[in-house]
Amino acid sequence: MPSLSFLTPKVQLATFADLLLIPEADRFHEILDGELVKKALPRGEHGVSQLRVGRMLGDYDRRKNDPFRPGSWWFATKPTIRLSLHEVVQPDLAGWRRDNLPNRPSGYPVTARPDWVCEIMCDGDARRRDGLQKRRIYADHGIPHFWLLDTERETLTVLSLTDRGYVEVLCAEKSQQVTAIPFELLPLQVAVLLGEDEP
């Protein structure tokens, strides 16, 4: 009689090739822990916050040739990034230090590991996926800085990678103005990141 392990079906882990089998117009997916996962359709508050974070960090999105503006970063919204064979992510925003990546991120997928990612959470499912699963995946792949902007709880959480994984260095509420690594030169009003008008 054959062993039961012989009869157990093997799990096939998804790769980027599986992602390419999805028609391009419907390709709103990531590969997390080898599983093809469809991203939730973004809510209005998600889109507003994504735009606001990008705009607020705009001074960093350039070469550093002005002593009064920080510079030295590349940014992208919703890039498809292959971290490994079975991990392909689409963070809401990602940034690369120009010291580490002299030329802008390019290709599909992008294969250069970002130095910063930001996920915008609007509900419980996104909170579990972004706040737990993707937090672990990003840490496992050595991404130094991870921001979580929670539009439901109205908070900004800033995480920094250590040899023990991510540690929380800041959790700010809507009413606060903060400076947050790795963009310490810019004061950020959490309410503005969440979509409110500047005072």
Side-chain angles (χ1 to χ4, degrees), residues 15-30:
T15 68
F16 186 67
D18 296 299
L19 194 64
L20 291 177
L21 294 175
I22 301 170
E24 190 172 349
D26 301 320
R27 204 179 293 155
F28 304 107
H29 295 73
E30 298 178 293

Side-chain angles (χ1 to χ4, degrees), residues 134-143 146 161-162 165-166:
K134 290 179 79 174
R135 174 178 174 157
R136 174 181 47 76
I137 290 168
Y138 290 152
D140 287 347
H141 289 86
I143 296 173
F146 181 25
L161 190 61
T162 70
Y166 283 121

Side-chain angles (χ1 to χ4, degrees), residues 73-74 76 79 81-83 89 91 93-97 100-101 105 110-118 138 141-145 166:
W73 285 77
W74 300 107
I81 304 170
R82 182 168 55 199
L83 296 173
V89 295
L93 297 109
W96 293 261
R97 291 184 186 274
N100 298 333
L101 189 69
V110 174
T111 56
R113 187 209 71 193
D115 296 290
W116 167 83
V117 290
C118 177
Y138 290 152
H141 289 86
I143 296 173
H145 304 285
Y166 283 121

Side-chain angles (χ1 to χ4, degrees), residues 24-196:
E24 190 172 349
D26 301 320
R27 204 179 293 155
F28 304 107
H29 295 73
E30 298 178 293
I31 299 173
L32 306 177
D33 296 323
E35 180 183 357
L36 203 55
V37 178
K38 186 171 184 179
K39 290 181 70 75
L41 294 175
R43 297 181 180 183
E45 54 267 41
H46 181 284
V48 169
S49 289
Q50 183 174 328
L51 180 63
R52 288 290 178 88
V53 173
R55 281 200 341 225
M56 294 286 282
L57 298 179
D59 276 352
Y60 279 90
D61 189 21
R62 43 189 276 301
R63 285 180 299 180
K64 189 173 183 178
N65 56 6
D66 181 340
F68 301 104
R69 296 169 66 198
S72 295
W73 285 77
W74 300 107
F75 291 102
T77 58
K78 297 278 187 202
T80 298
I81 304 170
R82 182 168 55 199
L83 296 173
S84 65
L85 183 61
H86 303 295
E87 307 286 0
V88 180
V89 295
Q90 288 183 346
D92 293 315
L93 297 109
W96 293 261
R97 291 184 186 274
R98 290 180 183 230
D99 288 346
N100 298 333
L101 189 69
N103 299 311
R104 69 178 182 269
S106 61
Y108 181 78
V110 174
T111 56
R113 187 209 71 193
D115 296 290
W116 167 83
V117 290
C118 177
E119 297 286 3
I120 298 165
M121 305 183 296
C122 296
D123 57 34
D125 288 341
R127 188 172 292 108
R128 284 187 294 276
R129 186 186 62 249
D130 295 341
L132 297 174
Q133 185 179 19
K134 290 179 79 174
R135 174 178 174 157
R136 174 181 47 76
I137 290 168
Y138 290 152
D140 287 347
H141 289 86
I143 296 173
H145 304 285
F146 181 25
W147 287 13
L148 286 161
L149 186 63
D150 191 328
T151 63
E152 192 173 62
R153 295 180 180 171
E154 299 185 319
T155 58
L156 169 66
T157 302
V158 175
L159 304 163
S160 184
L161 190 61
T162 70
D163 56 1
R164 301 181 318 276
Y166 283 121
V167 294
E168 184 178 300
V169 295
L170 174 71
C171 186
E173 297 180 355
K174 180 179 176 180
S175 61
Q176 293 180 266
Q177 177 173 294
V178 298
T179 56
I181 59 170
F183 308 113
E184 303 95 329
L185 297 180
L186 292 178
L188 301 172
Q189 294 175 309
V190 178
V192 174
L193 296 179
L194 292 166
E196 292 197 1

